[in-house]
Amino acid sequence: MTFQSTLPFHMIDPRLDAMLVGNSAIMVNLKQMITAIGASEAAVLVTGATGTGKDVVARGLHLLSGRKGAFVAVNCGAIPHDLIEAELFGHEKGAFTGAQGQRIGLLEQADRGTLFLDEIGEMPLNVQVKLLRALETRSVQRVGGGAPVKVDFRLVSATHRDLKTDVAAGRFRADLLFRIEVFGLAVPPLSARREDIAAILAMMAQGSTPLMLSEQALTALMAYDWPGNVRELRNFHDRAQVLFGKRLMDAAAVAMALTPHLSMTPAAVPDLDDTNTHDLHALLSERKSLDAKAMLRKVEARLIDAALDLADGCVTEAARMLRLKRTTLIGRMQVLGLEVVRERV
């Protein structure tokens, strides 16, 4: 079930506020939910797209749990299928070729603490069965035998997949899903909380010089879709620190910092006004490579200018022609360095 909290804002744990930055309504609600269930023993399934910060939510739950043991995190998709059982449950000496001694598994290492199973949807079915048994008996059976070992951990899982769809397809066990999702927490994408971007960037700058962003730069950041979510924002921040330091950033600077592969010779981009397919073949043959992103930006700028001309400078009408939201069009104009004239709006 997805839990909805009615806790007032002032009851959010201040330690959680420092971990999960942002005061957008959707983030306040998430922090309220974490505060409400943090101290419980209930298993929690955290869902959300890659890069949204599901691991930070898991650490927040552990922080509020009051448990004295460790926070043990494992990415189920990063461990080879033939090794994941031994990693999670441990093994006895001689259990398999190369097992030269006893090994304590991650479930035992999380005793009295929190076990975070990231990307649990990648776990093989045979290991899912053993995890379910461990959750039901609160004990671990190491690979290779030996007496069961009692364990006491709080389980937090995370996935970017739709596990209900995986259950229907036979890729995930329904009984395990019921066990791991006593509560469900959905972490929003960055595009759903753009108003938090400035605060997140300020947090990322701790210990270094904060980025200097003009109003146009902030508008460009707000207009961008952020498919990589907070992780992509971190990459943007780190590139912008290197490229611009203490200089004031405008929309063009934002566009440059959003691109990992820098082109230091923008003037070398060919003019596409009268370039047909044959000419492009010739260009590629001559140059061996072209800056495709710069060329596409030039095409986009020409298309927007044409739409504005046809719309007599009305941004709303131009956006309708281009099948864009008006705010998205304004953001793209600023990223591309096109002037947004007040009379045009």
Side-chain angles (χ1 to χ4, degrees):
M1 62 173 289
T2 300
F3 181 64
Q4 294 295 327
S5 170
T6 56
L7 288 175
F9 176 79
H10 70 271
M11 292 187 68
I12 294 174
D13 190 291
R15 296 172 298 172
L16 190 63
D17 248 345
M19 294 178 69
L20 289 166
V21 178
N23 288 322
S24 58
I26 197 167
M27 281 303 290
V28 168
N29 186 56
L30 177 61
K31 286 186 277 191
Q32 287 175 336
M33 292 188 283
I34 296 170
T35 299
I37 66 177
S40 75
E41 298 293 309
V44 180
L45 178 62
V46 185
T47 57
T50 300
T52 51
K54 298 185 291 293
D55 59 326
V56 181
V57 170
R59 290 182 183 278
L61 287 164
H62 175 65
L63 177 69
L64 301 189
S65 71
R67 286 180 160 265
K68 304 302 182 184
F71 177 83
V72 178
V74 56
N75 188 318
C76 298
I79 304 174
H81 282 193
D82 58 342
L83 297 178
I84 189 170
E85 182 179 0
E87 284 291 317
L88 291 175
F89 300 97
H91 60 74
E92 299 291 350
K93 181 179 180 180
F96 50 84
T97 302
Q100 299 180 355
Q102 184 187 76
R103 185 184 188 283
I104 303 300
L106 296 173
L107 272 70
E108 287 185 69
Q109 293 177 34
D111 188 45
R112 299 178 63 243
T114 299
L115 176 66
F116 176 46
L117 295 179
D118 197 6
E119 296 303 343
I120 193 172
E122 307 298 328
M123 183 180 289
L125 283 167
N126 66 306
V127 182
Q128 292 179 31
V129 173
K130 193 163 183 178
L131 175 62
L132 178 62
R133 189 180 307 121
L135 293 173
E136 289 175 340
T137 63
R138 310 305 294 179
S139 64
V140 171
Q141 183 75 45
R142 296 181 188 134
V143 177
V149 180
K150 288 292 182 182
V151 289
D152 171 27
F153 59 84
R154 201 270 185 83
L155 179 64
V156 180
S157 308
T159 182
H160 73 282
R161 301 167 64 122
D162 183 347
L163 292 186
K164 291 182 175 62
T165 298
D166 285 352
V167 167
R171 293 188 295 266
F172 201 84
R173 294 183 61 94
D175 46 6
L176 179 59
L177 180 57
F178 286 126
R179 275 283 180 178
I180 67 174
E181 192 181 20
V182 177
F183 289 108
L185 295 177
V187 186
L190 187 57
S191 59
R193 57 186 192 103
R194 288 182 168 93
E195 59 267 45
D196 292 334
I197 287 175
I200 297 172
L201 287 173
M203 178 272 295
M204 291 176 175
Q206 288 180 2
S208 60
T209 303
L211 297 179
M212 295 180 61
L213 301 168
S214 67
E215 184 177 343
Q216 291 77 15
L218 281 171
T219 301
L221 289 172
M222 296 277 283
Y224 184 61
D225 287 336
W226 299 106
N229 295 294
V230 178
R231 188 173 296 149
E232 184 179 8
L233 183 61
R234 163 64 75 179
N235 288 347
F236 163 81
H237 171 271
D238 292 349
R239 281 194 296 271
Q241 283 276 17
V242 172
L243 292 172
F244 300 100
K246 298 179 180 180
R247 286 178 289 166
L248 182 66
M249 294 180 64
D250 57 12
V254 167
M256 179 178 288
L258 280 171
T259 306
H261 305 289
L262 297 176
S263 172
M264 303 310 291
T265 56
V269 177
D271 194 345
L272 301 181
D273 287 351
D274 300 307
T275 304
N276 56 33
T277 302
H278 176 76
D279 293 329
L280 288 175
H281 287 171
L283 276 169
L284 279 170
S285 298
E286 175 188 349
R287 301 191 183 193
K288 305 304 181 186
S289 67
L290 291 172
D291 187 342
K293 288 188 176 181
M295 292 175 71
L296 289 172
R297 285 197 295 269
K298 181 171 282 192
V299 171
E300 184 181 8
R302 286 182 55 216
L303 187 59
I304 291 173
D305 269 337
L308 286 167
D309 286 340
L310 288 172
D312 293 325
C314 177
V315 173
T316 301
E317 179 61 15
R320 186 194 63 77
M321 291 181 185
L322 297 172
R323 297 183 183 179
L324 297 172
K325 291 182 179 178
R326 181 176 177 278
T327 53
T328 300
L329 176 56
I330 291 174
R332 291 307 303 161
M333 290 172 67
Q334 292 176 333
V335 167
L336 294 166
L338 301 177
E339 186 179 7
V340 183
V341 182
R342 184 178 299 276
E343 287 75 21
R344 282 185 169 187
V345 179

